[in-house]
Amino acid sequence: MALDSKIPAGKMDEKWGKYKSTCKLVNPANKRQLEIIVVGTGLAGASAAASLGEMGYKVKAFCFQDSPRRAHSIAAQGGINAAKNYQNDGDSTYRLFYDTIKGGDYRAREGNVHRLAEVSTNIIDQCVAQGVPFAREYGGLLSNRSFGGTQVQRTFYAAGQTGQQLLIGAYQALERQVALGNVTMYARHEMLDVVKIDGKARGIIARNLVNGELERHFGHAVLLCTGGYGNVFYLSTNAMGSNVTAAWKAHRKGAFFGNPCFTQIHPTCIPVSGDHQSKLTLMSESLRNDGRIWVPKKQGDNRKPGDIPEEERDYYLERRYPAFGNLVPRDVASRAAKERCDAGYGVGSSKMAVYLDFAAAIERYGKIEANKQGKSNLDKDAVIALGKDVVKEKYGNLFDMYAKITGENPYEVPMRIYPAVHYTMGGLWVDYELMTTVPNLYALGEANFSDHGANRLGASALMQGLADGYFVIPYTLGNNLADDIRTKSIPTDHPAFIAAEKEVSDRINKLMSIKGKESVESFHKRLGKIMWDKCGMGRNAEGLKHAIKEIQQLRKDFWSNVRIPGEVNEFNPELDKAGRVADFLELGELMCIDALDREESCGGHFREEFQTEEGEALRDDEKFMYVSAWEFKGDSQYELHKEELKYEIVHPSARSYK
């Protein structure tokens, strides 16, 4: 099946403008007759629900948390990209577009990425108007910092809690619509299936997580804004509840899954400390602005970092990638850290960590501050004290978090970091209008595959989530629903709703009836280990083939030996978790199938058989310049469809940050 991405004709920088000027519209009276379901209330979901409510649609929003405020978007720390060029350092819409295509290793769709770069500037204006407290320069202008994969400063931030502040802005907008009666909010509800009528998505089956009851909800269209699937690895930087269930149910109902093997490893994470851990904690990429990453030059060097003199330190990113240094993209920085640790240069008790050192930055900022205050003859201790105050202002909450978790003071000793699973570039395949292969079913934000190719640049997730919700879906949804204005609300006693609910109910009862001996958690942990070892930072054909067999066996064990306490019709978090892990056990297999099929290295997908002499990713543009879109055909059966990627503007070249 040829996949139609529906990218408008014309010049790249005119496509979106032309689309907006010529797309079909729904008049205000008709909008009031149309019901929209939004699943997930993170940045993409909250912004979409608020925007569509404001426009007059009848919106129902669902989240499994007790409040939209708890969506995992709050965990984003470092910032949000936008091509405002406030620093006057050469940024532009084109440069943001170019950096994103290059950063994604030429595996993203140009039309979508250019649109993202265009609307990025609107997002900042929208958020400032909502009262998001972005950091500001002394003169009152919004401040920017650098992130990986760019040579300009385009990242807007609110200390180390940008995601939280942006979510509060979107949440306020959402709650305003709830108060006006335009949006009905269903917290503590989990979507467990899509309802299709005449081939179109027309509603969902949701489970009330408080009392266990199943509910049927009709919608003229369904928007999935349910985030990524990084928790398939068990240990990741994602919230414990983050899962793939909504997207996976959609996949089983006919929505193709795009590039499932493209997962992002974040280089700046607090290392694993033992088997007791259930999640990992991220140290924002913004720290790489000022922190220098190094390991000792001598293998197995057990001295304290402060005892290792400058000439015996290997600042390996600065050595290998002089043009970008510590600000290379995430996939490059992660692999470099792994390479050093595997070669025996790692630090800390596990030897699976590298140093992120702020000593030089503290001293530099201290000198600047002393000059500002006209104190040119201060001793070193006084300079360092001033520098610490500046660093505290910029990164204080991140430093506090590190100190709480590790018991070490990062103002005095370097942080220890190691790569960890973070974001997923893969997701449901969508066209330019954000519609999946199921008509009237859309995917926004991290739930879709569209804008980041094989590697996401830091601070682009928040940008994409808000772009999709505030500025893209309000146009593209109307273009489709203009043909649906005569469709009346379909009653939920329609046979399709009854059948879908029965399917969900049967699966829940089947899970509860197993009454095995092993906890849900133990299966999730075992799946995570297989995925990390064989489909993690490094992958090879043999390992992936083994992983597929192991996952199939693990899935068999799960369905015959999982133990779920409690009852169906009550508050039962173990049952909720079991359903999510069951879906991960299917997704994990598809990820390995996809990784095995893609015989090249690109971005976060590093096949060990395909690398340059220097250990860099080796793409194969001739054979693999396409999006892998997988169609579900039954258990362990998937059919591959390809969306060819055509590059009109940015011509693919070897990706170099040297």
Side-chain angles (χ1 to χ4, degrees), residues 567-581:
E567 302 298 328
V568 174
N569 290 321
E570 64 178 18
F571 176 68
N572 190 344
E574 273 307 284
L575 174 57
D576 309 335
K577 197 157 64 177
R580 295 166 194 166
V581 171

Side-chain angles (χ1 to χ4, degrees), residues 405-438:
I405 290 168
T406 64
E408 294 174 2
N409 180 351
Y411 293 101
E412 306 293 339
V413 295
M415 292 182 181
R416 281 173 292 111
I417 55 165
Y418 192 72
V421 172
H422 180 52
Y423 184 90
T424 51
M425 284 76 63
L428 294 177
W429 183 91
V430 293
D431 60 23
Y432 190 73
E433 300 189 308
L434 306 183
M435 185 149 61
T436 67
T437 47
V438 174

Side-chain angles (χ1 to χ4, degrees), residues 348-360:
S349 54
S350 68
K351 297 294 177 199
M352 293 306 274
V354 299
Y355 288 128
L356 176 62
D357 195 338
F358 270 80

Side-chain angles (χ1 to χ4, degrees), residues 43 69 74 130 132 161-174:
L43 286 180
R69 279 280 311 273
I74 65 161
Q130 288 173 342
V132 172
Q161 44 175 286
T162 315
Q164 173 151 318
Q165 298 302 333
L166 290 171
L167 187 68
I168 291 169
Y171 169 73
Q172 287 173 167
L174 171 64

